[in-house]
């Protein structure tokens, strides 16, 4: 059992946005995290609600669009930035 912090959650969302983590893997992580981990008590509700939202992202009605990730990151105290590079 590990402690989920705003930082660790933001890192997971970042991995998803960079395509280092699939949506299925992110949802699996969120679902198992809700059951098996503790959340930073200073930000318990924010973290729990964000993880619950991510856990529902595999349901077509909910999904997880860029705007959703931006909103979740903002709630966690982070922002997303795009970095475009030449191949």
């Amino acid at each position: 059992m590990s402690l989920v912090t705003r930082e660790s959650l933001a890192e997971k969302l970042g991995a998803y946005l960079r395509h280092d983590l699939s949506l299925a893997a992110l949802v699996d992580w969120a679902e198992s995290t809700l059951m098996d981990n503790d959340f930073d008590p200073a930000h318990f509700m924010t973290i729990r609600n964000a993880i619950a939202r991510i856990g529902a992202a595999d349901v077509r009605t909910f999904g997880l669009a860029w705007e959703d990730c931006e909103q979740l990151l903002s709630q966690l105290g982070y922002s997303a930035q795009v970095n475009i590079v030449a191949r």
Side-chain angles (χ1 to χ4, degrees):
M1 185 177 292
S2 62
L3 182 69
V4 179
T5 64
R6 291 182 312 155
E7 293 80 14
S8 63
L9 179 50
E11 288 175 14
K12 284 290 183 187
L13 281 170
Y16 170 70
L17 290 172
R18 289 188 307 274
H19 303 287
D20 294 336
L21 187 66
S22 70
L23 178 61
L26 181 64
V27 169
D28 286 346
W29 172 82
E31 290 174 348
S32 66
T33 297
L34 277 175
M35 294 184 289
D36 299 333
N37 289 283
D38 290 330
F39 307 131
D40 179 356
H43 304 283
F44 179 86
M45 292 298 290
T46 301
I47 294 169
R48 190 198 63 177
N49 291 344
I51 292 175
R53 170 64 182 85
I54 293 168
D58 60 345
V59 177
R60 179 175 221 129
T61 305
F62 297 110
L64 191 62
W66 169 261
E67 293 80 7
D68 300 320
C69 292
E70 277 187 304
Q71 183 179 24
L72 291 171
L73 287 167
S74 176
Q75 291 168 359
L76 296 169
Y78 291 84
S79 65
Q81 297 179 350
V82 175
N83 186 19
I84 299 172
V85 296
R87 291 182 187 200

